[in-house]
Amino acid sequence: SLTEKVAAAIPEELLDWRAESRDGEHQFSLAEIVMHMIDARRMFAAQLTGEDYTSMYFAPDYWSGGDVSDEIFYGFKPHGGTAALLENLTEARELFAPFLALPGSELGHITVGARSAFEQMVAAFKADGHDTAAMERHGPPTVTHGLMSVIAHESGHRGALGTLLRLNGVALPE
């Protein structure tokens, strides 16, 4: 995929480089951007499959929804280098293979995993005292919604990664 091609263009010596923010805000390193995309692939796949991939996340606290400090919130596990990142990207992409193989007539369906994840989310919001009426009217996501969510999320981060690479003089694949 294009994301894998862009990630493969990151020189090992730039994996831990991060842009500096004028206002001191935390910025992901280049490797952390890739790890975030890997985690998001797994998180969106989990919403369709009903599987729990949290033990595989590079930044589990980021996805927990908990109220934690920035040091914990942005606490990424070691990336293991370019080869490990590319292997994880591929493994996470493959989680979507069963859904990409579905006939078009089934893309509007709601998976058992999506229904379960949705019910858990509604229950958690209710437990925190939030009004869930709008969520419940919308209902759980369809296969198409899950696929489009990961595409939209990843394209933005891939664009930022490409821009940061170009700023560092790295030529990207066509």
Side-chain angles (χ1 to χ4, degrees):
S1 82
L2 182 55
T3 298
E4 279 84 339
K5 289 177 184 175
V6 173
I10 306 171
E12 289 284 333
E13 65 273 9
L14 286 179
L15 284 171
D16 296 316
W17 177 87
R18 70 181 74 243
E20 290 184 30
S21 171
R22 291 182 193 177
D23 58 7
E25 291 289 320
H26 177 82
Q27 302 293 314
F28 284 176
S29 71
L30 299 180
E32 289 168 348
I33 294 170
V34 176
M35 290 186 286
H36 177 74
M37 289 189 288
I38 294 165
D39 283 359
R41 283 181 179 185
R42 290 178 174 144
M43 186 271 301
F44 285 116
Q47 290 179 353
L48 292 172
T49 65
E51 298 292 323
D52 182 2
Y53 302 114
T54 55
S55 66
M56 302 170 75
Y57 289 170
F58 282 100
D61 291 311
Y62 182 88
W63 302 99
S64 71
D67 187 19
V68 296
S69 68
D70 281 356
E71 292 80 31
I72 294 171
F73 189 66
Y74 295 119
F76 284 87
K77 296 175 185 175
H79 53 72
T82 302
L85 290 171
L86 293 173
E87 181 179 321
N88 274 276
L89 273 169
T90 299
E91 287 173 3
R93 179 175 28 90
E94 289 171 358
L95 297 173
F96 295 96
F99 304 103
L100 295 170
L102 290 173
S105 61
E106 293 183 29
L107 294 176
H109 292 180
I110 297 168
T111 66
V112 171
R115 187 170 306 284
S116 174
F118 176 77
E119 289 168 358
Q120 290 173 19
M121 187 183 312
V122 169
F125 274 87
K126 282 182 178 180
D128 286 342
H130 298 285
D131 178 7
T132 61
M135 286 174 66
E136 293 180 80
R137 274 193 307 276
H138 185 269
T142 64
V143 172
T144 297
H145 184 260
L147 295 173
M148 294 305 294
S149 295
V150 73
I151 291 167
H153 176 269
E154 190 165 302
S155 66
H157 289 299
R158 185 179 57 241
L161 181 62
T163 298
L164 292 170
L165 285 169
R166 285 185 185 98
L167 289 171
N168 277 283
V170 176
L172 295 181
E174 293 290 327

